[in-house]
Amino acid sequence: MAKAKTVYICSECGHEAMKWLGKCPDCGSWNTLQEETRAPAAEEKKVKRAPGVGAEALPIGEVPDEATERMPSGIFELDRVLGGGVVEGSMVLVGGDPGIGKSTLLTQMSANVSRRGDRVLYVSGEESMRQIKLRANRLGANESGFYVLAENDVSIIEERMRSVSPAVMVVDSIQTMYRTDISSAPGSVSQVRECTAHLMRLAKTSGCAMFLVGHVTKEGAIAGPRVLEHMVDAVLYFEGDRSSQYRILRAVKNRFGSVNELGMFEMTSEGMKEVPNASETLLSERAHDASGCVVLCAMEGTRPIMTDVQALVAPTIFGNPRRMSSGVDVSRLFLLLAVLEKRASLPVYNQDVYINIAGGMTLTEPAADLAICAAVASSSRNLLLGADWALMGEVGLAGELRAVPHAERRLQECMRLGFSNIILPKSNLKGIRIPEGMNAIGAETLFDALKFLGIYNARGSKA
Ligand code: TYD
Ligand code: MG
């Protein structure tokens, strides 16, 4: 019998090496190579066959149009993130920190789907049937079409799945699943990859929509190789602080819809509740009488969301000034502070700067730049901005304001929520319809925008 071989596999990219290395030669990550033993039998199964294997190549016009069937999950925010519902035979990976609510949301979805008459199989590799039942009781999910199974072996799961023939299946979590023909431990790169491939084949051949729960590493990526994200059809991430009740579900990859769609939930004692009015919720706890608070309208996918940026600027007492940000990339903050200093004559070199975005939101689009700069300026000058002001615009290195996408949609949202004084890049004013009653001011530079706000007339804060 051939001897089992030891290989080292990178947990980031799946690169295989024959000996241990500190740095992966393929993706360059450090300390990601993990030792795995490989049984000789497993090695022969290298070739992965895609569904529809053996089919003839066809001109694209002759490929039959198959309408992708979408079924509603019963949770509108989840449907939105998925691009309009659950697609038959698709595979969705749901990642997020432990305790953030992945199992809760998927249990609620399972209950909703089974309530409509379809069967759902919820496979848990982490919890016993009793634990699943306890959660389901709490969520009021006791439908007859809701099947549960506590199992880790993928081939047994396949058997049970064939007997239940569900329309939707949840696998919680992929890191606890194993295949007996692979010798490495569950959660290792080979197991995760092969189990996903196995379940993927099941999903594609049976038409069952599959939801995989994926654990995340300390760095926030889904544990296991990146290839996992490449294999599945959609990747959803739960964001948000466990200590706050709001959770944000974001699509980072979606073969059936647009990415960067976002769904907002609130964790309650009866499970995850949808938050349809994200803007109202985020703005509800806004401080009205403090400097450094600026409202902005961010686009999350197709949806405008208003939130507020808070900045606190305080003199540095000792050593280097501190810069901290939550919800904004700190290197973007460094850049904006440099622009403020050089192009808008606002010295912050001897000031500590703290930035926070309300509700645990993360702002990734540059359209938030102007609001961040204005919040810093407002705090450093101790100037209160009017309660009905909202700002948007990308700030360039020359201090110029650049146009933001979807300006009209953003203005409508601002108007809807009662923000009628808007500062936006001048180039955005061309060719858009300004909502009635709105005072939209176009500014060419950051300096101009801050001048409009009266930053330079205000006295600097000594406090
Ligand atoms: P869970 O879905 O088990 O998290 P994950 O699967 O992402 O690890 O949710 C865990 C937390 O949610 C737990 O701390 C309890 C809380 N929770 C509620 O607040 N309300 C509920 O109705 C349920 C079921 C859980
Ligand atoms: Mg869980």
Side-chain angles (χ1 to χ4, degrees), residues 97-105 127 135 138-139 172 267-271:
D97 288 338
I100 198 142
K102 302 179 291 293
S103 310
T104 306
L105 185 72
E127 291 163 307
R135 180 185 291 112
R138 210 170 145 178
L139 300 171
D172 189 359
M267 184 56 115
T268 67
S269 54
E270 283 109 41

Side-chain angles (χ1 to χ4, degrees), residues 39 42 152-156 177-184 191 195 198:
N152 302 74
D153 185 338
V154 177
S155 42
I156 296 180
M177 299 298 152
Y178 66 86
R179 274 176 51 157
T180 41
D181 54 346
I182 295 165
S183 55
S184 52
Q191 283 286 10
C195 290
H198 191 134

